[in-house]
């Protein structure tokens, strides 16, 4: 639950309001005499955007890691792209307003990229839209970035949509809650990140921005959010506010991180919980929550810092001897790494039709100029921190593993010569249909498996991951049978298997998963204490009986009912 002042990230989301500059209407044609004025307005907006972004980036650098700052710098690189800037000034010189020029130039760029088949580059158009909206908001006199002067700390961030990277950038001064008009699935990266940071989030709030826009109180509007029930109250009266604040007090988490060992029941099945992280600074939060290491480091969130040795060293050092599983770049889907904009290795990527539809490891293998610097950085960090392991995303064939190991070997020799030390362990994510079919073969080549249930469940359902609600498949016989089968393949080959998708964080399902033989789970830090507590009461006999019962149930509803009865 959360309460706070509403902060609409992008005033453009509020439409044409009477507190915006008249010129923000976007269709105003400027008279000849206004051309210089318009150019100056645009330059001022750009400068203000630069100052705001630089201030925020440097404060992020002091408070957390370079990776957060790099995300914003990537934004700035787009805003100051000389080709775009020249185009905007050219359109203004035709007598158009700054808003029209920014809209036209950025939209043309988005269209151009959207026409390219490569899914990663298509997704990059989202970065450009974000920067366009930020510049338009600047022209309208709005403050766009969380963490800037009036800050997002303690505010309820509202918008039509919010980029997960904006949230990642506000990690040192997080908002109290997030509200979006657009639907974001449980598995979207925005939702995953919000859960990791324990920020309540409610989506699909159609009409919210209109209500805010129509309110006289919009500049100081208080909002109450209950992330559990999805209830959002804008501009509450005194009595509602008091009632909510009392409920909020009752909702305070108790002693969530009581150590498992204290009351561990001797007959409980031993299971291990690890953390999913997106930024190095989160590694210590995993330990504080009682995690036994990091089972998934989503390195695409490092943005431009994906090849920065220090990021890997910082996370590895924070964990002591506990494992750090570094997943190599997984680009595509709803992952929109703004920090990549300025990377020369990306120039021309996607121009080739054959590159369409690649994601994860296939994309990286097709772009060694991009992949090698990351592998080198991980290997350099591994030379100091032996708790690092490498994991490959979206593997489809054993050749993905073979080729990556060859490349790793090459990087290792380039770095350390013929006496290069042995490579770290290399594991494989099982999250594509092909990987499920080939699990036995992959198990021969991989040092460990990690099941990415977010992508896997969407693949089983044959749905687009971003707009798909995985909960409808969480208790589906197909999902459960596939999880069981992958674990068996790992067991047969004698390699560890971890479950690192969001399904792992469902306490209701945990006893059944233990019954299917799963022993390792990697989840966002806030889920660890509750799951550990739940696991304490699960004996081998109880879990096996439950798994057997569930296997014979034909519908997800019946499975859920059986799980509820068990709990
Ligand atoms: C998954 O797909 O379940 C997973 C853990 O990876 P990501 O969510 O980053 O795709
Ligand atoms: Mg995945």
């Amino acid at each position: 639950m959360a309460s706070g002042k509403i902060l609409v990230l992008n005033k453009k989301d509020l439409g044409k309001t009477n507190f915006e500059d008249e010129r923000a209407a976007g269709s105003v044609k400027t008279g000849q005499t206004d051309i210089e004025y318009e150019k100056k307005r645009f330059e001022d907006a750009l400068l203000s955007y630069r100052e705001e972004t630089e201030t925020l980036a440097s404060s992020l650098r002091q408070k957390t890691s370079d990776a957060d700052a790099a995300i914003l710098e990537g934004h700035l690189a787009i805003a100051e792209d000389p080709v775009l800037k020249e185009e905007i000034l050219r359109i203004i010189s035709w007598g158009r307003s700054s808003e029209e020029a920014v809209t036209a130039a950025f939209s043309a760029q988005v269209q151009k990229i959207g026409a390219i088949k490569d899914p990663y580059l298509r997704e990059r158009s989202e970065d450009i839209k974000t920067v366009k909206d930020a510049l338009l908001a600047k022209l309208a006199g709005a403050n766009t970035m969380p963490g800037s002067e009036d800050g997002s700390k303690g505010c309820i961030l509202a918008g039509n949509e919010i980029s997960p990277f904006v949230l990642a950038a506000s990690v040192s001064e997080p908002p109290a809650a997030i509200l979006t008009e657009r639907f974001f699935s449980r598995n979207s990266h925005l939702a995953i990140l919000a859960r990791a940071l324990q920020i309540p989030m409610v989506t699909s709030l159609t009409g919210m921005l209109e209500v805010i826009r129509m309110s006289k109180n919009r500049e100081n509007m208080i909002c109450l959010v209950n992330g559990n029930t999805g209830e959002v109250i804008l501009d509450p009266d005194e009595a509602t506010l008091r009632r909510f604040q009392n409920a909020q007090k009752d909702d305070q988490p108790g002693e969530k991180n009581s150590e498992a060992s204290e009351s561990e029941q001797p007959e409980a099945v031993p299971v291990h919980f690890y953390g999913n992280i997106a930024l190095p600074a989160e590694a210590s939060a995993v330990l504080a929550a009682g995690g036994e290491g990091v089972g998934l480091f989503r390195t695409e969130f490092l943005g431009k810092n994906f090849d920065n040795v220090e990021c890997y060293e910082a996370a590895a050092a924070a964990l002591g001897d506990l494992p750090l599983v570094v997943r190599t770049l997984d680009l595509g889907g709803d992952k929109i790494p703004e920090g990549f904009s300025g990377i020369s290795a990306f120039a021309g990527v996607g121009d080739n039709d054959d590159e369409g539809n690649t994601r994860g490891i296939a994309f990286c293998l097709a772009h060694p100029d991009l992949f090698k610097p990351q592998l080198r950085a991980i290997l350099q960090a591994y030379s100091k921190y032996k708790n690092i392991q490498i994991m490959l995303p979206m593997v489809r064939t054993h050749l993905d593993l073979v080729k990556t190991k060859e490349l790793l070997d090459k990087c290792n020799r380039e770095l350390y010569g013929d006496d290069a030390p042995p490579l770290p362990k290399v594991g494989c994510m099982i999250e594509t249909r092909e990987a499920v079919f080939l699990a036995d073969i992959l198990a021969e080549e991989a040092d460990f498996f990690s099941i990415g249930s977010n992508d896997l469940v969407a693949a089983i359902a044959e749905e687009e991951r971003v707009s798909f609600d995985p909960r409808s498949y969480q208790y589906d016989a197909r999902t459960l049978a596939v999880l069981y089968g992958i674990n068996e393949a790992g067991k047969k080959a004698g390699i560890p298997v971890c479950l690192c998708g969001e399904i792992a964080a469902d306490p209701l399902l945990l006893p059944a998963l233990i019954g299917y033989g799963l022993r390792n789970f990697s989840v966002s830090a806030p889920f660890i204490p509750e799951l550990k507590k739940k696991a304490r009461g699960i004996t081998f006999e109880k879990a096996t009986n439950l798994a057997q019962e569930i296997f014979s149930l034909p519908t997800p509803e019946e499975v859920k009912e059986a799980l509820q009865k068990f709990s």
Side-chain angles (χ1 to χ4, degrees), residues 172-341:
S172 59
E173 299 204 319
I178 298 169
L179 307 177
T180 66
E181 285 209 331
R182 212 195 98 182
F183 168 69
F184 281 89
S185 79
R186 246 184 91 70
N187 271 6
S188 66
H189 283 81
L190 182 65
I192 291 172
L193 219 59
R195 277 199 296 281
L197 300 172
Q198 291 185 282
I199 298 171
M201 165 171 162
V202 183
T203 75
S204 302
L205 291 165
T206 315
M208 165 187 69
L209 294 166
E210 180 66 5
V211 174
I212 298 172
R213 185 175 81 81
M214 297 300 285
S215 169
K216 281 196 211 108
N217 208 11
R218 66 182 160 239
E219 300 288 13
N220 287 302
M221 185 186 276
I222 295 293
C223 175
L224 312 177
V225 181
N226 185 335
N228 298 322
T229 61
E231 193 183 8
V232 174
I233 303 169
L234 292 168
D235 220 1
D237 58 30
E238 271 299 311
T240 313
L241 184 60
R242 254 198 318 276
R243 244 192 348 264
F244 188 89
Q245 281 167 343
N246 287 338
Q248 212 174 356
K249 268 185 223 142
D250 295 343
D251 190 48
Q252 289 304 315
E255 247 318 289
K256 280 195 176 168
N257 189 21
S258 51
E259 261 313 305
S261 53
E262 283 168 26
S263 53
E264 198 104 50
Q265 293 173 12
E267 74 273 31
V269 181
V271 285
H272 305 279
F273 292 98
Y274 304 91
N276 292 348
I277 65 170
L279 301 166
E282 284 180 88
S284 23
V286 170
L287 296 188
E292 296 175 60
V294 166
L296 167 65
F297 181 4
R298 292 181 162 104
T299 59
E300 53 279 2
F301 283 97
L302 293 174
K304 217 157 62 178
N305 271 348
F306 74 102
D307 57 355
N308 183 340
V309 184
E310 283 166 25
C311 289
Y312 301 109
E313 288 182 345
L319 294 172
D321 288 338
L322 298 174
L324 171 70
V325 177
V326 177
R327 185 179 69 184
T328 56
L329 293 171
D330 182 13
L331 305 173
D334 66 333
K335 293 164 188 174
I336 308 163
E338 299 178 12
F340 283 89
S341 343

Side-chain angles (χ1 to χ4, degrees), residues 245-531:
Q245 281 167 343
N246 287 338
Q248 212 174 356
K249 268 185 223 142
D250 295 343
D251 190 48
Q252 289 304 315
E255 247 318 289
K256 280 195 176 168
N257 189 21
S258 51
E259 261 313 305
S261 53
E262 283 168 26
S263 53
E264 198 104 50
Q265 293 173 12
E267 74 273 31
V269 181
V271 285
H272 305 279
F273 292 98
Y274 304 91
N276 292 348
I277 65 170
L279 301 166
E282 284 180 88
S284 23
V286 170
L287 296 188
E292 296 175 60
V294 166
L296 167 65
F297 181 4
R298 292 181 162 104
T299 59
E300 53 279 2
F301 283 97
L302 293 174
K304 217 157 62 178
N305 271 348
F306 74 102
D307 57 355
N308 183 340
V309 184
E310 283 166 25
C311 289
Y312 301 109
E313 288 182 345
L319 294 172
D321 288 338
L322 298 174
L324 171 70
V325 177
V326 177
R327 185 179 69 184
T328 56
L329 293 171
D330 182 13
L331 305 173
D334 66 333
K335 293 164 188 174
I336 308 163
E338 299 178 12
F340 283 89
S341 343
I343 296 177
S344 60
F346 270 23
V349 165
D351 290 351
N352 177 355
D353 275 357
D354 295 342
E355 287 171 347
N357 293 324
T358 56
R359 186 187 142 182
I361 190 63
F363 183 89
C364 281
L365 285 170
H367 298 286
D369 286 356
L370 174 79
F371 199 22
K372 275 180 74 184
Q374 180 179 40
L375 296 181
R376 287 169 67 96
I378 299 171
L379 287 173
Q380 280 171 282
Y382 178 67
S383 70
K384 276 203 223 158
Y385 298 96
K386 297 296 179 202
N387 55 335
I388 291 178
Q389 303 177 17
I390 295 178
M391 179 158 81
L392 315 184
M394 301 302 282
V395 168
R396 292 181 194 278
T397 135
H398 68 293
L399 291 177
D400 290 337
L401 275 153
V402 172
K403 284 184 191 161
T404 305
K405 283 195 211 170
E406 279 170 12
L407 200 57
L408 266 169
D409 201 50
K410 193 168 173 206
C411 294
N412 209 24
R413 282 176 198 287
E414 280 169 12
L415 283 168
Y416 304 110
D418 286 341
D419 296 331
L423 294 177
K425 286 188 176 151
V426 180
C428 156
M429 285 199 74
I430 306 289
E431 53 180 347
T432 65
R433 281 172 164 258
E434 295 90 327
V436 173
F437 296 141
L438 296 179
D440 284 331
I441 295 172
L442 292 171
E444 294 299 318
E445 200 59 52
D447 292 317
F448 59 91
F449 273 175
S450 192
I451 307 174
S453 60
N454 304 336
D455 281 298
L456 186 58
V457 171
I460 293 170
E462 296 184 77
E463 296 277 359
E464 281 289 319
R465 171 172 163 176
V466 185
S467 50
F468 164 66
D469 186 350
R471 277 171 297 190
S472 48
Y473 275 75
Q474 196 131 320
Y475 308 122
D476 189 288
R478 286 167 289 180
T479 306
L480 301 175
V482 166
L483 295 182
Y484 172 75
I486 298 168
N487 193 57
E488 285 296 299
K491 233 160 70 181
K492 206 167 82 190
I495 58 168
V497 179
C498 184
L499 175 62
C500 70
E502 294 299 297
I503 279 184
D506 180 1
L508 201 59
L509 196 56
L510 182 69
L513 296 174
I514 294 175
Y516 291 151
L518 285 148
R519 296 290 180 266
N520 303 297
F521 302 89
S522 192
V523 297
S524 297
F527 294 115
I528 295 175
E530 189 188 350
L531 291 167

